[in-house]
Amino acid sequence: MYLNFIVIVLEPFDTSQFQAEYKTLLLSGYGFLAGFIFIIYSQFEQIQYLRKKRFWRVQDEIISVLHFCFWVGSLSYLYNIYVVNVGLSVSFGSYRRFLFITTAGMMPVFVPLMVYLRQRLGERITPPPVNSYTLVGENKNEMLHLQKDDLLFVKAVENYIEVCYVDAHQKITSKTFRQTLSNVWQQLPFLAQCHRSYLVNLSSVQEIAGNSQGAKIIFKAVDKEIPLSKTYYKRIKDLGF
């Protein structure tokens, strides 16, 4: 509607010289065409946004806006040739002039408004601190925010997992989620498997006690230990413990 107002009321680029029986309707087509392209392009842009893991930079925004303007300009050129000014011939020269004069000339008018609305209505995500992680369970509202250095281990208990960590008061705390160890590993890739039922945060480990037949993992500054199975004993020991 905003573009329709610009084209019909303000009549840029000698639009006032255009005469046709259904002039208003024909000129309104530019706005409806731009709106249709915006809806389609938004879906494509959402896919790109998710592929980038919701990390959208300023240069991504600039490139996206330029791509959108290119498609609007290209399809508006075809609409102008085949619908508004029937009889005009298609040529690369006229297409280039349309992009660099008409489309580029309209960009300062509608692009700032488009960017403003996207910033106001779009999703804003603040990147988490480097060592901050969020663990999500399968059930609704199962979520735990924690610092990497505070996490001790994750234990599998049937269809659930128990997350053991040091809270803000330096006390050992645990939280139970409905989740699998494999999915936890995907969310917290810095963890290492030390037992078929355990994932351990090696940065919290003080030492490995015992031999491969009955090894235990002992944590720093906390009275807590977990088993280290024979299967993973050598792998963990080779990491410097």
Side-chain angles (χ1 to χ4, degrees):
M1 297 301 294
Y2 177 67
L3 184 58
N4 286 343
F5 173 81
I6 297 296
V7 174
I8 296 172
V9 178
L10 301 185
E11 299 183 327
F13 308 109
D14 296 327
T15 307
S16 59
Q17 304 301 316
F18 172 69
Q19 298 298 326
E21 184 176 357
Y22 302 103
K23 175 180 177 179
T24 301
L25 180 61
L26 289 173
L27 294 179
S28 296
Y30 290 107
F32 291 119
L33 180 63
F36 175 76
I37 296 172
F38 180 77
I39 293 173
I40 299 299
Y41 188 77
S42 295
Q43 300 304 311
F44 168 78
E45 191 178 59
Q46 179 69 10
I47 295 174
Q48 294 297 106
Y49 175 59
L50 295 176
R51 282 181 178 175
K52 290 177 174 289
K53 299 181 178 180
R54 299 175 182 268
F55 184 66
W56 197 255
R57 300 166 299 178
V58 174
Q59 50 265 45
D60 294 320
E61 181 75 3
I62 294 173
I63 292 173
S64 181
V65 169
L66 291 176
H67 280 168
F68 171 73
C69 292
F70 169 78
W71 286 110
V72 170
S74 298
L75 295 181
S76 294
Y77 170 75
L78 296 177
Y79 178 79
N80 180 61
I81 293 293
Y82 292 111
V83 179
V84 178
N85 292 295
V86 181
L88 292 180
S89 59
V90 177
S91 68
F92 179 74
S94 63
Y95 170 62
R96 184 176 59 183
R97 285 193 298 274
F98 191 90
L99 285 182
F100 284 93
I101 296 177
T102 306
T103 306
M106 291 296 291
M107 284 176 62
V109 177
F110 69 85
V111 167
L113 176 63
M114 185 180 83
V115 173
Y116 171 76
L117 291 176
R118 284 157 61 91
Q119 292 295 319
R120 291 284 295 178
L121 303 178
E123 181 181 22
R124 286 181 174 271
I125 296 180
T126 303
V130 176
N131 291 319
S132 179
Y133 292 85
T134 299
L135 181 61
V136 180
E138 293 182 355
N139 294 330
K140 187 177 180 181
N141 298 325
E142 287 185 337
M143 185 178 297
L144 176 63
H145 303 284
L146 44 74
Q147 298 297 311
K148 176 182 177 181
D149 292 340
D150 292 336
L151 179 60
L152 301 178
F153 63 86
V154 179
K155 177 183 179 182
V157 184
E158 295 183 350
N159 296 325
Y160 293 84
I161 52 107
E162 178 188 350
V163 184
C164 186
Y165 61 99
V166 179
D167 64 16
H169 303 290
Q170 298 302 305
K171 294 183 179 180
I172 299 177
T173 307
S174 64
K175 189 167 185 178
T176 302
F177 285 174
R178 184 176 180 84
Q179 190 55 277
T180 63
L181 279 188
S182 59
N183 285 335
V184 170
W185 208 352
Q186 291 180 2
Q187 296 181 57
L188 307 175
F190 60 88
L191 294 178
Q193 189 151 18
C194 61
H195 186 278
R196 63 182 180 137
S197 300
Y198 286 86
L199 294 176
V200 63
N201 180 10
L202 294 177
S203 64
S204 299
V205 174
Q206 177 176 318
E207 63 176 327
I208 304 299
N211 56 35
S212 61
Q213 299 302 319
K216 298 289 184 180
I217 294 178
I218 300 174
F219 294 93
K220 302 173 182 176
V222 293
D223 184 19
K224 198 77 173 177
E225 62 180 37
I226 60 175
L228 173 58
S229 70
K230 182 178 179 180
T231 304
Y232 302 99
Y233 180 82
K234 185 177 186 305
R235 185 184 307 174
I236 299 297
K237 290 289 287 186
D238 286 347
L239 293 175
F241 295 97

